[in-house]
Each structure stands twice: as structure tokens, then as C-alpha cells.
Amino acid sequence: MKTAILSIGDELLTGAVVDTNAAAISAALFGSGFRVERRLTVRDDEAEITAALQGLAERHDIVVATGGLGPTSDDVTARAAAKATDRRLILNDEALAHLRSVVPDERLRGLNEKQALLPHKCRVIPNPVGTACGFWLTHEGTLFLFLPGVPREMDRMLADTVVPLLRERFPGEERLRRRRFTLLGIEEAEVNELLKDIPQPRRGVTLAYRARFPFVEVTVRGEGEAAELFNRAQTETLKKLSDHVVAMDDETPEENVARLLRESGFTLSLAESCTGGLIAKLITDIPGSSAYFREGAVTYANEAKTRALGVPAPLIDEKGAVSSEVAMAMARGIRAASGSDLAVAVTGVAGPGGTPEKPAGTVFIALADRNGCRSKRYLFPGDRDQIRTATAYTALDWLRRRLTP
Ligand code: ATP
Ligand code: MG
């Protein structure tokens, strides 16, 4: 399916407004297997818009336009759409009813009614958060979809109506297949080495790599008839990398862990030193986390580790606050205090600085459950922020591994 995006608006060309809509449309369509092949931006000018629509229709099956559906005289998209598809503009009953329901003021209604003038026999795309409805129609084999310019409205209509509509009208086989793996604890070059035998980029299957700290993403794409090859490539990729896969497709690593926690029925508590609550933030970013997350303690001072978590003061004196023993005592301590099934603790040197024995990036992660407690030493590269981020996601990964059957 060849797809194009038409962005409409003077401000986009002067640079006053950055065209975030085109990026949002590309991402939403790509996520559903539609490859956007061209983007075009034109002024709020009826003749320009008409010519652009006709030009794009010659080479594309789907054209998604954004902008210029408002009530002001500079909004001329509906007129251009009618002209490009040889239709009249008529007052659309559905759009008018919507307008009347959201614009209570009698005087404003008259001015806004222009927004209900749409091409004959088009279908309305409901706008649950604004006045201007969108619309879609087909003309000479091309599907045209028109969305307002305001990003908040555009996003909703894209997700609620446009993506489902495209998925319904274009069966899966014609779409691009995509599988994304989010990896942790492995370098891009290592991934590349591991996957060197997977056939690419011949016959419609491609592998793409992207480093997105602290992750590496690998995306397997397949097009058209290459279904068989795509399935083989993605299965092999998963097999080779499975130990590092912290999430798949659009799920985030924290969403993945949240799902596993929910499914397991286990409760969780956290004791954090060097991450300062970042793990608790990642856990509680996910709605519904109160079902499994009991509590988190941020204990920086040695005295706090002793008081809140019951870490013996002599242990800290002997081994140091950044040590395997203290990490385990923290995990056991918060597990006992909270009564949770699982407890994770982290203690480390986020930097800058550190000592020769424990340089910046030295981190101990511990996990306690009813079977006991384990810990491991890490040396994370990077600056303070990167060390904390890597620590937090690695701690989440301990949970993923613990909860994966
Ligand atoms: P309105 O009813 O607000 O006039 P409209 O559909 O006519 O809606 P435009 O007039 O084209 O939309 O744009 C309204 C506002 O939305 C612009 O001023 C701009 O801030 C924002 N906008 C428009 N197009 C885009 C775009 N492609 N990307 C990001 N923002 C945009
Ligand atoms: Mg406008």
C-alpha cells in the first residue's frame, strides 16, 4: 500500500509550527504496517491543495491530509478536497449535528457551520475533542483521509478511527510486517555479529538496528509475499537474542514487567540507594501498579539503611554501603518490612568519582524472595544519569527474569 501524507498550512512552511502531525501519522501507520513513502507540505491555498491531492493520488493508494478544517477563511481544505474529487460541497448532517452539540452559543454556531460543509458522499471521521470533524472518501482507487491540524484532535482521530479503518480495509497480507525486539545488556555490534547469518536484505526481509540508551532495538521487517521468510527471520532473531529481549513490539520494558507482575499475583517492594527512587517511578508509571507494588524505600544514609531496612551497622562498616552483602540485606530488609513476595535492592556509585576498588558505575543489585536472596556486581559505563538509568532498567530485568516461566 503506497501511502502519502499531505500537511497543509502556511505556518508549517514559514517554520512557525513544526510539523509534528506528519511524524505522528507516519509512526501510527508504520506501526500498523503501512509504509509512508512521501510527505508533502503546501500552503493554505485552495488551488495548491487541490493540485497536491491530485498529484499524490496518481502514485499512492492512501493519502492522509492534515490541517485547514477550521472555521476561518484560511481553512480551505474541504473545498479543495471536493474539487480534487469532482464533488460538490454540501452541508453534512452528521458534522452539523456534532457541531451543534459542542458549540452551545447560537451566534458562534453560524460562523462554525462552515466546518460542516464537506464533499458530497464523504464519510465523517468523528472528533471527540474538538469542533471540526474529519472525513474520508475514495476517488479513482485512492483513499483520501482528512484530519484537523490541532495535534491533540488529530492524534485522537488517528487512533480512534483512521488506524482501525485502514486495518479493516487493507488485509494483513498487503501490509508491511514488523517485529521489534528491545534488548538490554548487549552492544549493538554484538547483536549485529549474532544475527549475521539471518538472510537479509534479500527478498523483502530487512533487519534494522538502533541504539536507544540503555537499549538496543532490532526491527525485523518483511513485505508482501515474504511472509515465510519474515517469520523465519523473526523466530531466529528471537532465538539468538532471547536472553536479552526485555520487550517486544510497542510494549515498553516497564509495561512488560508490569504485565508479568500482574499475571504472577506476586507483590513487590524496593529498596533503592543510587537510583533515588527511579525504579519505583518506572514501576508506578504504569497504571494499576498498586495491585502489586507495596512500597519503595530510598535509603541514602547508612543510618537510614539500618533504621528503615534493618541492615546491621557493623555489616556496613565492614563491607561498605556499596557491597553485595549490603544489597542483599537491603532486599531482605524491605521484603520483611513490607511483607511482599519479591524485593529488589540496588546500591552503587553513580558518580562522578568513586574509588579504585569501586569506581563510578559499580552497582550491586539484589533480589529476595521466599527461596532466599541473590546479588550481582555490575560496572555500568557512562555518566551519572546513564549509570542510574542502566541500573534501574537492569533491576527491572531481574524481575522479568524472575517472573518469566
Ligand atoms: P482549527 O479549527 O484550529 O483552525 P484546522 O484543522 O483548521 O483547525 P489548522 O488551522 O491547520 O487546523 O491548524 C491549527 C493549529 O494546529 C495550528 O495553528 C498549529 O498550531 C497546529 N498544527 C496545524 N498543523 C500542524 C502540523 N502538521 N503539525 C503540528 N501542529 C500543527
Ligand atoms: Mg485553522
Side-chain angles (χ1 to χ4, degrees):
M1 284 302 118
K2 288 178 175 294
T3 305
I5 297 173
L6 179 63
S7 302
I8 299 162
D10 291 350
E11 310 132 309
L12 299 171
L13 287 165
T14 59
V17 171
V18 176
D19 189 353
T20 55
N21 284 356
I25 295 167
S26 282
L29 296 195
F30 184 61
S32 293
F34 298 91
R35 185 205 289 282
V36 172
E37 301 203 328
R38 179 170 295 208
R39 287 184 191 165
L40 186 64
T41 309
V42 294
R43 291 186 286 127
D44 290 300
D45 177 279
E46 190 183 323
E48 292 262 356
I49 300 169
T50 308
L53 289 170
Q54 288 168 333
L56 290 173
E58 280 174 25
R59 296 226 260 134
H60 298 87
D61 308 296
I62 303 167
V63 177
V64 184
T66 165
L69 297 184
T72 55
S73 56
D74 61 344
D75 292 320
V76 292
T77 300
R79 266 214 316 272
K83 197 162 268 176
T85 58
D86 296 326
R87 297 170 193 225
R88 286 173 292 124
L89 268 188
I90 61 158
L91 205 55
N92 183 295
D93 291 337
E94 194 182 339
L96 191 62
H98 169 73
L99 208 61
R100 290 193 169 139
S101 71
V102 293
V103 183
D105 190 319
E106 199 67 52
R107 285 166 303 144
L108 286 178
R109 252 190 230 160
L111 300 172
N112 274 285
E113 268 173 19
K114 168 176 167 284
Q115 287 178 294
L117 278 174
L118 301 182
H120 187 48
K121 284 196 171 151
C122 71
R123 302 285 298 275
V124 164
I125 300 175
N127 181 349
V129 287
T131 53
C133 288
F135 57 95
W136 64 269
L137 44 83
T138 55
H139 180 69
E140 293 177 355
T142 299
L143 172 62
F144 292 93
L145 303 108
F146 295 87
L147 297 168
V150 181
R152 195 175 66 94
E153 300 176 17
M154 204 284 311
D155 286 342
R156 262 301 282 276
M157 296 159 77
L158 192 61
D160 287 2
T161 308
V162 173
V163 169
L165 176 77
L166 292 179
R167 281 175 161 271
E168 188 194 303
R169 284 181 73 95
F170 300 99
E173 309 83 67
E174 295 176 34
R175 290 190 241 139
L176 195 66
R177 293 175 180 79
R178 183 191 74 146
R179 166 119 295 167
R180 187 167 69 206
F181 300 100
T182 303
L183 313 169
L184 185 69
I186 186 165
E187 299 285 321
E188 218 175 346
E190 289 174 71
V191 178
N192 194 217
E193 179 62 25
L194 275 176
L195 299 182
K196 66 178 187 304
D197 297 333
I198 290 178
Q200 58 146 340
R202 347 186 287 262
R203 292 187 289 165
V205 172
T206 57
L207 289 183
Y209 305 90
R210 178 176 166 219
R212 194 170 58 79
F213 183 85
F215 309 109
V216 173
E217 288 175 355
V218 177
T219 306
V220 185
R221 296 192 189 110
E223 240 173 322
E225 299 84 72
E228 175 86 16
L229 211 65
F230 167 79
N231 282 334
R232 198 135 42 91
Q234 65 120 338
T235 315
E236 277 178 44
T237 305
L238 181 58
K239 213 160 68 193
K240 294 219 154 101
L241 300 171
S242 64
D243 203 35
H244 296 281
V245 175
V246 292
M248 275 190 352
D249 295 335
D250 294 327
E251 198 171 51
T252 63
E254 43 275 46
E255 284 168 347
N256 187 19
V257 168
R259 186 171 45 73
L260 290 168
L261 277 166
R262 220 179 304 119
E263 286 168 6
S264 71
F266 286 156
T267 54
L268 171 70
S269 60
L270 300 167
E272 301 184 58
S273 189
C274 59
T275 43
L278 183 55
I279 309 171
K281 180 191 182 296
L282 294 176
I283 292 283
T284 55
D285 276 345
I286 309 297
S289 49
S290 56
Y292 42 81
F293 183 52
R294 284 271 171 94
E295 67 181 275
V298 179
T299 51
Y300 260 53
N302 292 347
E303 185 269 321
K305 292 184 176 71
T306 300
R307 179 172 38 77
L309 307 173
V311 181
L315 185 73
I316 301 178
D317 289 340
E318 189 192 336
K319 305 288 181 184
V322 178
S323 65
S324 171
E325 290 78 2
V326 168
M328 290 202 286
M330 289 168 67
R332 286 202 199 96
I334 193 71
R335 181 166 181 268
S338 69
S340 65
D341 299 304
L342 304 176
V344 171
V346 299
T347 177
V349 186
T355 61
E357 307 84 65
K358 286 170 189 169
T362 304
V363 172
F364 292 87
I365 299 181
L367 185 144
D369 61 16
R370 65 177 169 163
N371 302 321
C373 189
R374 286 174 293 119
S375 87
K376 188 178 163 188
R377 179 180 185 142
Y378 291 86
L379 184 62
F380 294 116
D383 60 20
R384 183 177 173 80
D385 199 39
Q386 289 173 316
I387 290 167
R388 285 153 55 101
T389 303
T391 302
Y393 279 106
T394 305
L396 281 190
D397 196 39
W398 276 54
L399 288 169
R400 176 187 69 85
R401 287 166 193 267
R402 173 64 182 77
L403 296 167
T404 305

